[in-house]
Amino acid sequence: DTGVSQDPRHKITKRGQNVTFRCDPISEHNRLYWYRQTLGQGPEFLTYFQNEAQLEKSRLLSDRFSAERPKGSFSTLEIQRTEQGDSAMYLCASSLGEGNTIYFGEGSWLTVV
Amino acid sequence: AQSVTQLGSHVSVSEGALVLLRCNYSSSVPPYLFWYVQYPNQGLQLLLKYTSAATLVKGINGFEAEFKKSETSFHLTKPSAHMSDAAEYFCAVSASYGGATNKLIFGTGTLLAVQP
């Protein structure tokens, strides 16, 4: 499968714990995006990378959230001290530069109990 | 600033009937517009996109959409619904130039039900 890959697909964690999600974009895609989607809502932009540089962060991305793309390939999204409000699906997407189609992964579901 | 509004959070049609899902956009620059489909517990799949070429855009699975600048609309249609079309549909907008990030701004989605 050469699509966008996300891991884990599902994560249940206790409030206050840290969680990390990984995204492997389509090979050679230089842009990588993170979105969050809650039930009944459309995806909301969190942040995006061009190669290893994080070029934009939404105000939705609080200090507890950090995203990295150290070598311009895979990316991680870490949530520290999780809260129940963090329960959502976290979607990763990638594209080959500006103006090209953005392809989404199947998402990582987070449930904070 | 950009935004999209999807009219109707739930739409129900009979199998074989016309599907019409409405999307209106707001954009301070010429937009790119997209329709994505999401099946339960899955990510988003691109149905079609408008990038300032032809105003009538044909996509996968028999869907098409027409860009109407005067109405700021980009409604999605399919002449004959199939049971497999039951899913959630999202309209999205992005900026087309000017150093914009190309990030997508999504609507709240329309859940399409297809009745036998």
Side-chain angles (χ1 to χ4, degrees):
Chain A
D1 184 20
T2 57
V4 179
S5 178
Q6 293 189 244
D7 182 71
R9 292 291 316 280
H10 298 88
K11 178 73 175 178
I12 300 174
T13 191
K14 293 183 178 180
R15 187 175 55 183
Q17 297 294 305
N18 299 344
V19 296
T20 299
F21 298 110
R22 177 182 169 120
C23 172
D24 288 90
I26 294 172
S27 179
E28 298 180 356
H29 278 193
N30 57 348
R31 289 198 169 198
L32 187 147
Y33 308 79
W34 285 100
Y35 285 79
R36 180 173 68 187
Q37 185 178 19
T38 54
L39 285 175
Q41 299 297 318
E44 298 173 295
F45 171 79
L46 292 179
T47 187
Y48 98 100
F49 294 83
Q50 178 152 313
N51 300 311
E52 66 275 11
Q54 188 174 19
L55 297 188
E56 185 174 346
K57 293 169 60 174
S58 164
R59 64 181 183 278
L60 294 174
L61 213 64
S62 76
D63 291 345
R64 297 184 296 106
F65 288 71
S66 62
E68 295 182 345
R69 195 182 183 197
K71 297 183 179 180
S73 57
F74 73 91
S75 175
T76 58
L77 176 68
E78 181 183 18
I79 309 174
Q80 297 182 325
R81 304 181 304 281
T82 52
E83 301 173 356
Q84 287 189 323
D86 297 331
S87 295
M89 181 162 68
Y90 291 86
L91 289 161
C92 179
S94 70
S95 70
L96 185 60
E98 184 171 321
N100 290 301
T101 298
I102 297 176
Y103 295 91
F104 284 81
E106 296 199 333
S108 292
W109 276 105
L110 173 65
T111 301
V112 181
V113 297
Chain B
Q2 298 178 302
S3 66
V4 291
T5 301
Q6 291 185 241
L7 301 175
S9 59
H10 292 79
V11 170
S12 182
V13 300
S14 298
E15 192 173 19
L18 171 72
V19 175
L20 171 61
L21 305 182
R22 300 178 186 274
C23 173
N24 288 87
Y25 71 90
S26 173
S27 180
S28 55
V29 298
Y32 287 165
L33 292 159
F34 307 80
W35 277 99
Y36 281 83
V37 62
Q38 186 175 37
Y39 297 99
N41 299 317
Q42 294 188 23
L44 289 87
Q45 179 182 9
L46 180 68
L47 278 177
L48 49 80
K49 63 180 181 181
Y50 165 77
T51 56
S52 74
T55 56
L56 182 62
V57 181
K58 295 186 183 299
I60 62 171
N61 301 339
F63 285 94
E64 64 181 37
E66 186 172 7
F67 173 71
K68 293 187 176 181
K69 184 178 179 180
S70 61
E71 299 178 7
T72 62
S73 69
F74 190 59
H75 301 331
L76 182 71
T77 60
K78 181 174 180 178
S80 177
H82 191 273
M83 297 296 289
S84 62
D85 295 327
E88 189 151 26
Y89 292 80
F90 292 95
C91 182
V93 63
S94 73
S96 61
Y97 65 84
T101 63
N102 187 218
K103 69 186 181 189
L104 295 170
I105 305 300
F106 286 89
T108 52
T110 297
L111 187 62
L112 175 67
V114 181
Q115 307 299 328

